[in-house]
Every structure is written in structure tokens, then in C-alpha cells.
Amino acid sequence: MTTAMGAFVAFALPPVYTSVATIVVEAPDLPSQLARSTVPENAIAQVQLLREELLTDTALAAMAEALDLQPRGGTVSDDFIETMRRNTALEQIHFGSGEQVINAFTVSYSAPGPKVAALVANKFTSLILANDLDHRQRRAAATLTFFREDVASLGSDLKASEAALLAFRNQNISALPESLSFRRAQIAAGQATLFALQVEEASARLRRAELVSSVRMRGQNERGETTLESTMLGELKTALAAQLGMFKPDSPSVASLQSRIKVLESGMPALTSNAVSGRLPSEIEEIDTRLAEIESETLALATTQAALEASLLATPGNETSLRTMELERDNIQSQYTAAVARLAEASTGERVETLLKGERLVLFQEALPPDYPKSPQRRLIVIASALAGLALVVALAVAREMLNSSIRRPADLQRRLSMQPLGVIPYFAADQTARRRPPRAVKSAFQANVMPVDGRPSWTI
């Protein structure tokens, strides 16, 4: 009965066909040391991510409509989508051993018909391959775009930094650190030139005073005017002041000037400027011209020296500013150089993905309609039901034996009465009974026991 029921169930269950496609993770065609893809080589995680994307309700509904899998005249329900999700399987497998292991995946789908199973399995496989290729190429292109924008941004920052640095140098060209030694040499040379002009001015004034004194001593003033004498006295005092700035007070030139000043101050006959001015030698005119030039040169030199001194004071601050700006420029330059190198790698990686030379998923075997259903396994169900029926019969026999409480053996009687039997009389069947019934070792057991009755033993059968 159990076997019959198992056979009925085995042939009543609808068949389920499972079609399987195989995807292989193919290694890059180019050595990673020479041309490396910018997409991380983690195909296992990528396939798992694609599986989750393809098993969403939206993706399964779109596939069902595209392949016309929904029931006739009906729509794709949530139960149908859940059934498709349960019938879809993605498993990772390996080929080879050691260092030659090849990672692969199997994509399987179970359906009532073999053609539908193969159709859906191949659809899943094609979507996985297409999405993986699109993902890798989009990621490589996005990486290339990012580094192009990064290089362009850093290039603009670098140009702005260099322009600011150049403008600062042009604005402070006279107070830059690299010209500090030259400006110090200029200041030293200017001081030497200024000293030489002062010496020349003192000499010129002394010479002019000597010439004017010589004219006065020759008696060229006849009107007795004292204007020229006052002028000479002022010039001699000026020359004396210049000489004292350069020489010691006991210097012969200083002493000579001092004696002449005393002579003029003692009241010697004076010369009028009007009388002498017309008769002064041309040498005095040349001295006056030179004195005017010396005064102009001294003023210009003093202005230059002041500007140089100011530039020296501004140089430390400019040096600090320049170092800050150059450090910023160098930092941007290093970032720009690194970005250009990464851009070259990104360009190579994008080309590797475009030419399909990197790691990728490849269809190893497409899904084919299976010849036999995967389930139900009818032969196994029939065998299992037969074994279950046999086990049930044995269990019933054992249970009947264990639950039967009737006396069938001497041991049962002995256990019930708690007495030791004196003997056992076997049962001998008659001839007709023996022919009708199969013999048995013990048909019935007779037991004689001594039973105390009123204090006297008695036999009991």
C-alpha cells in the first residue's frame, strides 16, 4: 500500500527541469606590471553584486515580461516574482588546483519546461556579462574623467600660483633675497663715492678760498666794500667744517683754514663782491660749477642710499613671503605631477577595458534544455516508499509482539505465578490437525505446580 502511494505521488508531481550555464573569470591578457586596469580585479564580489541587482523585483518583472513568462492573460504577480527568485541560483566553482585555480560561476534556473529553464538561465547569463562589461567600462571612463578634471584644476592652480609669484617678484624686484649681496655692495660703493664727493667738495672749497684770498691780497678791490670778505669767511668756515668731518683737529689743512679765518676776522681790508665778481679767474667759475654738480650728485646718491637701506630692511619679509609662495607652488607642482602620472595610468586602464584586455567574465558554456527533469526523482520516491512500507510492517510486528500480554510460553506462566515449574508436557497434535496446521515447537505449555490448599499441597495444571 505504501509503495503504491509512493508511486502515485512520484508520478503525480509535476516535473522540474534545471538548466545550467557556466561563466569563467578570465585573467588579463596584458601583464599588470606593464598595463594595469583601473577597475579592481574582484570579479567574485562584482558577480555577487550583479546577482543582487538582477534579483530585484523590478529586474525580475522586466525579465518575465520580456520573455513572456507570466501566466496567460495575467500579470506578473509578487508570488510569481518570488517563485522566479527561488528558482534562480548562482554558485561559485573552481577549476584546477594550486596556482592554476580558475574561478567560475554557474547560473541555473528551474522551470516546469526544459526550454523555459534554458531560456531564463541564458537570459540571466547574458545580463550578468553585459552588466559586468558595462560596469567595468563606465568605471574606467569615470576614473579617466576624474583625473582629467583633477589635472586641469591643478594646472589652473599652478598657473595662478606662478603668476602670483611672478607679480610679487616684479613688485619687489629691488628687495629680493637673491640681490641682497649686490645691494650691500652697492651701499658700500655709494658710501665710498659719497666720501669721495665730500673730500672733493672740501678740496674745491679750499681751492676757491685760496683763489679769492689771492685776488684780495693783490689789491684788486679799490672801493673798500666788505661783502666779498664776508663771503670768503663763510666759505672758509664751510671748508673748515668739511675738513673737521674728515681729518683730525690738529691736521695741517685744518690748522691752515683756522689761521686764515682768524686773519679775515682780524679786520683786514675787505673786498666787495661786485668789484671782484667781474675779475675772478675762470678757475673760480669752474670750481663753482663743480661744487654745484657735487651737491646734485650728493643729493642723488643720498636718495639712492636711502632706497637701498630701505630695501635691505624689506628683504627679510620678502624672503619669508617668497618662501611661503614658493612652497605653495612646489606643493601644487608635486600634486600636478602626481595627477599627470595617474592620468596616464587611467588612460591606459581605460584603453585596456575598451579593448577587453583586462580581467573579465566570459561565457564558458551556455545553458541547454535538459533531457531529463531534475525533480521529482520518481525511482527514488518509489524505492523510498517501498522501504518505508517494509519498515512500517516491521514496526507493527514488533509493536504487536511487545503489546501482546497473553501466556504463550512457560516463561510467561512462571513470571505471572512467580513459581518454579516441575515439568513441561509438550503438545502433540492429531494427524488431521497436523495436516491442517503447520507444526510448531510448543503449542501449549502444561505446568504442574504444588499449590498449598488448606495447608496441604495440590497439583495444578
Side-chain angles (χ1 to χ4, degrees), residues 333-352:
Q333 179 67 55
S334 62
Q335 294 179 7
Y336 179 78
T337 303
V340 169
R342 291 193 294 266
L343 175 60
E345 294 180 0
S347 178
T348 302
E350 193 271 340
R351 186 166 179 79
V352 167

Side-chain angles (χ1 to χ4, degrees), residues 24 97 137 151 187 210 238 246 258 272 291 293 300 313 322 326 329 333 357 362 365-366 379 388 420 434 450:
V24 175
S97 61
Q137 292 183 351
V151 168
I187 290 176
E210 289 178 351
T238 303
M246 294 181 294
Q258 290 175 346
T272 62
L291 287 174
E293 293 175 354
L313 296 176
L322 276 176
E326 288 176 351
R329 189 271 314 272
Q333 179 67 55
K357 298 298 182 180
V362 178
Q365 182 179 359
E366 67 177 1
R379 182 179 300 177
Q420 184 68 29
V450 179

Side-chain angles (χ1 to χ4, degrees), residues 34-47:
L34 300 179
R36 183 172 55 187
S37 172
T38 55
V39 180
E41 297 179 358
N42 192 2
I44 298 176
Q46 178 62 21
V47 170

